[in-house]
Amino acid sequence: MTQRARNRRHGTNRRASPAPAAAASANHLLGLHGLSPDVIRSYLQLAREYSAARTVKPVLAGKIIANLFFEDSTRTRTSFSIAAMRLGAQVVDLMGAGSSVNKGETLIDTATNVEAMGVAAVVVRAKQSGAAAMVAQRVRCAVINGGDGRHEHPTQGLLDVYTIAESMNRLRTFDLSGLKFAIVGDIVSSRVARSTIAALNALGASVICVGPPSMAPGSLAAMGVTIRRDMDAVVPDMDAVMMLRIQFERAEAAAGTKGESLVTKAPGLASVREYRAKYSLTQERADTMKAGAIVLHPGPINRGIELDAPVADGPRSVILRQVTNGVLVRMAVMAKLCGRVG
Ligand code: CP
């Protein structure tokens, strides 16, 4: 099969204008926006196969996966490492602290140097939106976006829809039509929201974004979602609610101010306390959810701000299922991109 045919089949992104240093382009997963439902399902179906498998074929044996993480991570980096090891690969970790990025080396130079040592794929996490795509233009190996700024976090989007399908008994088809899904909180800062919305839309679910205008602006409607302000009116009607952390660090970086100002600026919201009163999934609000409805959170959780601890740890919570399923979808992504699994 030609590279072009492979890209079409997997819906992966190939650089538009190859850099001289990278004559043979690899497959990449840079985002979910624009991928077809068939492509998204193909990753989910392979993840389901891995979930059921008693033994896993080591399709990455002899290969090395490099985690290039220039922003903090617990779940994504560990999960990629475990997924790669389960497929027989070896893993190297490079993080901002302790790398030559601290001496002024660029992300691109870092990535090309790591690639020159002979890796099958780099997983890139960075503060800059578009960082993974920039790396993909300069290397031959596969590039997987592990979260770039406010842009996308595609494997998180895949694990979210996998977990919803699992909880709603839709693992056979991954057809989520008829399901209503709310995302609550700091959506405008959230790469997770962008990827999860793309996946939910592709699989047929309805998505409602809930938050103050500063966090859920009307412009989000362009992503095919409905915007609502009143969480109490939305929650009882939902099959699933995903809570998002307020990303104080991104607000700080964007505004050059203390992150809490994002909340202070939100019309009608004077403080984190007031934010919590309007947009936290408290136990009281969770009690209004319908039977069988589930609660998701990509992590890290700020307990007591966007989500009460008893809800995070309660019977509706599938938060740790998301984490477990993250390994499966990352296995599927790496197997397809670097393991010659169709
Ligand atoms: N969900 C997620 O990306 O978590 P980490 O930042 O811990 O990787």
Side-chain angles (χ1 to χ4, degrees), residues 69 71-78 125 146 153 156 159 191-192 297-300 330:
F69 273 58
E71 197 184 60
D72 297 343
S73 170
T74 294
R75 282 147 290 271
T76 310
R77 187 167 63 83
T78 313
R125 168 166 291 196
H153 191 347
Q156 179 73 41
L159 75 88
R191 56 197 177 205
V192 171
H297 194 304
R330 287 168 181 132

Side-chain angles (χ1 to χ4, degrees), residues 242-259:
M242 181 160 79
M243 302 304 301
L244 296 177
R245 179 178 71 89
I246 303 175
Q247 299 199 17
F248 292 114
E249 72 280 14
R250 289 197 207 289
E252 261 181 60
T257 59
K258 289 280 176 212

